Amino acid sequence: MRKNIVAGNWKMNTTLDEGVELANELSTMLENRPVNCDVIICVPFTHLVAVRGVIAGSQLQLGAENCSEHDKGAYTGEVSASMVKSTGASHVILGHSERRQYFGENNEQLLAKTRLALANDLKPIFCVGEVLEERENGSYNDVVRGQVEALFELTPEEFSNIVIAYEPVWAIGTGKTATAEQAQDMHAHIRKVISEKYGNDIADNTSILYGGSCKPSNARELFAKPDVDGGLIGGASLKAADFMGIIEAFD
């Protein structure tokens, strides 16, 4: 049975003190409150150790926003999967559209990152999605298929540890949101692509999150769709009340 997941992606926001304060606020709000999903906060590298201390014993899980495709060595400024794991993180976001767009990350690099994350017992939240031009010219299903297939060198056992996040790039930070029907159609397409390679059991057990301007006002409608298993939340994860509103969309 696949998990429902709400994951926050803080991106390049909050100082260390602000991040600790936000994590503490979320931890307090979740205390003694039953939730019907896994809750993960993916924070800047600089925050990982301090936030781990704040959320220890709470319902919150810890993730990073990226890791290197290299295991170790002379790569100044990079952070390896083993370093991320050593902070106490359990998850890592890979292939976010901002990484693909601004830093030129390609399928080969992302497969290498994914393999290193898995080798270090991190669960990748692997992002896929189309830009506006691809949505408008009708190529979006093929684009997303190609991004998912970048992982198809993984063994079935390895792939079973992947969480997919579908982010229509045209709906990130723009205020636009894919309709619940558009989200469902793409999530079902992704699940079909996975099934063609790994079979129905693995496809049915893969959590697929929606990641495009999800907020308390639309989360319930999105999460009600049969193939939408939660959200990868950007801006709304930076306000504890908004993030809680999305978590509570899973009754």
Side-chain angles (χ1 to χ4, degrees):
M1 189 69 181
R2 62 184 182 259
K3 292 180 177 179
N4 293 327
I5 299 170
V6 173
N9 175 18
W10 290 7
K11 306 190 181 185
M12 197 174 72
N13 292 298
T14 73
T15 63
L16 179 57
D17 286 348
E18 291 166 346
V20 166
E21 183 179 353
L22 176 56
N24 188 55
E25 189 176 359
L26 285 168
S27 180
T28 301
M29 291 175 82
L30 283 165
E31 197 170 352
N32 299 320
R33 182 180 297 197
V35 294
N36 295 312
C37 60
D38 285 1
V39 184
I40 307 159
I41 49 174
C42 298
V43 307
F45 290 133
T46 52
H47 298 17
L48 285 165
V49 172
V51 168
R52 179 190 67 177
V54 169
I55 68 174
S58 77
Q59 298 186 72
L60 290 166
Q61 300 176 52
L62 183 63
E65 299 176 15
N66 187 31
C67 71
S68 175
E69 71 262 39
H70 304 290
D71 184 33
K72 60 183 175 181
Y75 302 102
T76 301
E78 287 291 275
V79 177
S80 71
S82 61
M83 291 173 174
V84 170
K85 182 63 179 180
S86 72
T87 69
S90 55
H91 292 75
V92 59
I93 298 171
L94 296 176
H96 192 280
S97 61
E98 292 156 3
R99 299 293 314 175
R100 294 175 188 265
Q101 179 181 351
Y102 304 144
F103 303 98
E105 292 188 356
N106 59 38
N107 286 346
E108 184 179 0
Q109 287 173 295
L110 293 174
L111 177 61
K113 289 186 180 201
T114 301
R115 283 180 157 153
L116 282 171
L118 292 169
N120 285 279
D121 197 27
L122 291 167
K123 285 189 179 295
I125 301 173
F126 190 86
C127 301
V128 299
E130 80 280 7
V131 300
L132 183 60
E133 180 184 0
E134 292 160 344
R135 168 59 60 168
E136 291 183 338
N137 68 21
S139 64
Y140 50 91
N141 278 339
D142 290 337
V143 168
V144 171
R145 172 184 285 275
Q147 292 170 341
V148 175
E149 288 178 344
L151 297 177
F152 281 4
E153 291 185 37
L154 300 177
T155 66
E157 183 180 9
E158 288 172 330
F159 192 89
S160 66
N161 287 294
I162 303 289
V163 174
I164 300 290
Y166 166 60
E167 38 172 28
V169 182
W170 46 273
I172 298 175
T174 63
K176 294 181 180 179
T177 310
T179 65
E181 289 71 27
Q182 286 174 319
Q184 166 58 25
D185 286 349
M186 181 58 83
H187 283 228
H189 171 64
I190 292 168
R191 207 174 299 284
K192 179 174 180 288
V193 170
I194 296 168
S195 176
E196 290 168 358
K197 170 66 176 179
Y198 292 108
N200 288 337
D201 281 352
I202 287 178
D204 288 344
N205 283 289
T206 299
S207 295
I208 306 177
L209 315 183
Y210 174 76
S213 295
C214 183
K215 42 192 178 284
S217 60
N218 62 20
R220 191 175 299 273
E221 182 184 10
L222 285 162
F223 296 171
K225 295 299 181 182
D227 287 292
V228 179
D229 304 310
L232 178 61
I233 315 302
S237 71
L238 296 171
K239 296 180 180 178
D242 286 351
F243 197 52
M244 282 300 304
I246 294 169
I247 293 166
E248 290 170 346
F250 282 115
D251 291 325

